[in-house]
Amino acid sequence: MAVITTTRRTQHFGRTTTPTCKYWLAGRCNRNPCRFSHTLPTSPSNIYYNPYTTYNHSKKPTTCTPKPLQKPPNHAPKALVSVEKPINCRGEAMSVEKVIECGPKAMSVEKATKCEQKPLLIEKTIDVEDAATVAKASVEKSRSICKYWMTDNCVHGDLCPDLHSWFYGDGFSPLAKLHEHNKVVTGNALSTGSDKLYSGSIDGTVRAWDCNTSRCVNSINLGSEITSLISEGHWVFAGLKNSVKAWNIQTGADVTLDGLKGQVLSLNFGNDILFAGREDGVIYAWRGNSDPKAESAFELVVTLSGHTKSVVCLAIGCYKMLYSGSMDHSIKVWDLDTLECTMTLNRHTDTVTSLICWEDYLLSSSSDCTVNVWVCTEEGTLKVTYTHTEENGVLGLYGMTDAEAKPILFCSCKDNSIRMYELPMFLERGRLFTRQEVRSFEIGPGGLFFTGDGTGLLNVWKWLEEPKVVLIVNALGRW
């Protein structure tokens, strides 16, 4: 490639020019103000100035035979560019080819003669348009978002090596931003038969969003931090301190399940049973009551003890089992019929942050930066068949299929990003970026999915049937 060179302040025929900042051209100048120019260089106006003219200072011509040029090493790719033919010490023209390495520096080509001339550095100048093209081409985009762009303070523009976007990847697109919560969003839920999206937050409120207008249509202040939110059928459940709040979207029934001690950190529903994991390591189980004359729609069945620290995640599936992950670094497996613990899995070395069941596989994530894939053996035990490692701790796992029905795993990490992988090979499909950590994720119809971060922002995304289509008609009205 051609080499852009900048020299110190020079003077040609009384005209003073300021050299262009080479770091600015590469998009890496961080000086403000900078003593070099942040504009593209202009072509020299003096037509008599030729930096490639070879001057002969010897009084008498001497006999000398230039040696052939030494070939550059074979390991470096080369490009040959013809330049103006210099003359030797006899005044004869000789053929010289310029060899430029594909690297940041030009090779020095020597004329080995008896005149003992100094090595001549041959370079090729480029015009203004070429300079801009080379500068932009030299910037390789990283896979990290620019922190200065996030605060509208990036001065590099298109030459910035970091991303100026909240996501990268193909096949999906952002649709809407819903910002009413003022603290971290801990759960999203879509109730059956409703066109409302429900969100819960540490700010103590549950908000209902109209899917046709993208507006918040209702807000319920529960007066306590909401650390989990799920839906099952027509019911929406919110985990609070010392209780679980439940609403029936169809009938308007309002139920409080109390008697707990401590914050409810995780919720799940399966086999007609509501499970709630507390911060003291105990799991409460309520069975749904179908008797219309019953005092409560849910009846406490049993409490499951075994964890020594907080139960932060629950999953149901994979051979009709309940799986619980805890801050004690363990995963416990409970039989849904007998509600007894059948095994304990000790593979992670830090808090088990998330569990999902996908077909016959159990996937677990941890603050130890790993994602384990578990499979059931012939002996009836679970073993790890694959371990995926991230650079940062993993906060949550979420799974869905894309527009082509390919399984996609979402990994929310502590670096304020969500990594998207195509299973089973863990091929990266893209990344989503947020200002703070993503703590909630919900799958909607028609390829929709929702993410909630630490700032209280809810983002609405959609998988596209045609990745290049700009206009999106979604399944839920305006979304």
Side-chain angles (χ1 to χ4, degrees):
M1 61 178 283
V3 178
I4 306 175
T5 61
T6 59
T7 60
R8 296 186 178 274
R9 186 180 297 268
T10 57
Q11 185 172 0
H12 298 299
F13 302 96
R15 176 174 297 178
T16 302
T17 60
T18 303
T20 300
C21 176
K22 61 182 180 181
Y23 297 102
W24 174 80
L25 286 174
R28 294 185 292 109
C29 182
N30 57 7
R31 296 181 178 179
N32 187 14
C34 179
R35 64 190 184 94
F36 295 102
S37 173
H38 280 200
T39 58
L40 294 173
T42 56
S43 301
S45 59
N46 194 323
I47 61 174
Y48 299 102
Y49 174 69
N50 187 352
Y52 304 123
T53 303
T54 304
Y55 298 96
N56 190 353
H57 296 285
S58 59
K59 295 181 179 180
K60 296 181 180 180
T62 57
T63 58
C64 58
T65 304
K67 294 182 180 180
L69 292 174
Q70 185 178 358
K71 295 183 178 180
N74 294 328
H75 64 272
K78 301 169 286 292
L80 297 179
V81 182
S82 298
V83 298
E84 198 176 343
K85 294 183 179 181
I87 58 175
N88 60 13
C89 50
R90 297 181 183 177
E92 300 172 350
M94 68 178 184
S95 175
V96 177
E97 289 180 325
K98 176 188 170 187
V99 182
I100 303 177
E101 291 184 10
C102 296
K105 296 181 179 180
M107 291 184 59
S108 177
V109 182
E110 296 187 8
K111 289 176 29 177
T113 67
K114 294 182 180 180
C115 303
E116 297 183 355
Q117 291 184 337
K118 295 182 178 180
L120 176 65
L121 181 64
I122 301 179
E123 296 178 338
K124 178 187 176 183
T125 57
I126 55 178
D127 56 20
V128 174
E129 294 182 359
D130 289 339
T133 302
V134 172
K136 289 185 178 181
S138 64
V139 178
E140 295 183 0
K141 292 293 183 183
S142 69
R143 294 190 174 186
S144 299
I145 192 170
C146 175
K147 62 181 180 179
Y148 300 103
W149 174 79
M150 293 174 62
T151 57
D152 297 325
N153 291 321
C154 184
V155 298
H156 301 305
D158 293 338
L159 297 178
C160 181
D162 294 323
L163 292 172
H164 285 193
S165 173
W166 291 109
F167 70 98
Y168 79 81
D170 294 328
F172 62 94
S173 174
L175 294 186
K177 293 181 181 292
L178 315 178
H179 206 167
E180 290 289 341
H181 292 292
N182 52 41
K183 291 185 179 179
V184 55
V185 179
T186 54
N188 304 318
L190 283 168
S191 179
T192 302
S194 173
D195 61 350
K196 304 293 189 300
L197 170 70
Y198 297 88
S199 60
S201 169
I202 295 294
D203 63 13
T205 63
V206 173
R207 295 184 179 273
W209 305 85
D210 191 313
C211 296
N212 297 303
T213 63
S214 301
R215 293 180 179 178
C216 179
V217 295
N218 192 16
S219 177
I220 304 174
N221 193 339
L222 300 180
S224 177
E225 292 185 353
I226 301 170
T227 46
S228 56
L229 187 80
I230 65 169
S231 64
E232 178 65 26
H234 299 293
W235 289 92
V236 174
F237 304 94
L240 309 172
K241 187 173 183 179
N242 302 328
S243 66
V244 173
K245 196 75 173 179
W247 299 271
N248 190 306
I249 304 303
Q250 189 177 36
T251 64
D254 184 341
V255 180
T256 300
L257 308 177
D258 51 16
L260 296 87
K261 294 181 180 180
Q263 188 74 42
V264 176
L265 301 179
S266 54
L267 294 170
N268 212 319
F269 198 100
N271 201 28
D272 201 29
I273 299 176
L274 172 67
F275 296 95
R278 294 190 330 199
E279 62 180 349
D280 62 355
V282 178
I283 302 173
Y284 275 62
W286 291 272
R287 191 180 299 275
N289 197 336
S290 59
D291 187 359
K293 297 182 180 180
E295 294 181 0
S296 176
F298 298 91
E299 179 184 0
L300 182 64
V301 178
V302 69
T303 58
L304 309 178
S305 300
H307 287 292
T308 59
K309 293 184 179 180
S310 302
V311 178
V312 296
C313 55
L314 296 168
I316 294 177
C318 294
Y319 313 103
K320 204 175 181 181
M321 295 290 182
L322 167 70
Y323 303 88
S324 58
S326 170
M327 293 182 68
D328 62 12
H329 308 175
S330 71
I331 302 171
K332 289 190 177 295
V333 184
W334 311 81
D335 189 300
L336 281 179
D337 292 327
T338 64
L339 296 179
E340 294 181 354
C341 182
T342 60
M343 69 183 77
T344 301
L345 310 176
N346 295 296
R347 184 64 180 261
H348 290 292
T349 59
D350 206 336
T351 299
V352 180
T353 55
S354 183
L355 296 166
I356 61 172
C357 295
W358 204 322
E359 297 180 351
D360 293 335
Y361 296 92
L362 171 70
L363 284 78
S364 63
S365 66
S366 171
S367 298
D368 63 9
C369 305
T370 64
V371 175
N372 285 331
V373 180
W374 305 78
V375 66
C376 188
T377 65
E378 295 179 356
E379 294 78 13
T381 60
L382 288 170
K383 70 174 184 179
V384 175
T385 59
Y386 179 74
T387 297
H388 172 77
T389 303
E390 291 286 353
E391 297 177 0
N392 301 275
V394 183
L395 299 172
L397 297 177
Y398 320 96
M400 68 179 299
T401 56
D402 64 5
E404 299 178 354
K406 296 179 181 179
I408 305 297
L409 178 68
F410 296 78
C411 295
S412 175
C413 299
K414 290 184 178 180
D415 62 350
N416 303 344
S417 71
I418 297 182
R419 317 293 175 95
M420 305 166 63
Y421 298 103
E422 183 178 324
L423 298 180
M425 302 304 294
F426 276 84
L427 300 176
E428 187 170 358
R429 287 285 299 271
R431 293 185 191 181
L432 312 179
F433 302 98
T434 55
R435 295 184 185 275
Q436 293 185 21
E437 299 168 347
V438 171
R439 294 283 183 172
S440 64
F441 188 99
E442 177 66 17
I443 300 172
L448 292 173
F449 58 98
F450 310 87
T451 60
D453 64 27
T455 66
L457 177 66
L458 267 173
N459 279 296
V460 185
W461 307 81
K462 180 179 173 61
W463 285 104
L464 308 179
E465 295 181 1
E466 296 292 337
K468 295 183 179 180
V469 172
V470 177
L471 182 62
I472 304 167
V473 180
N474 46 72
L476 288 178
R478 183 169 176 266
W479 289 348

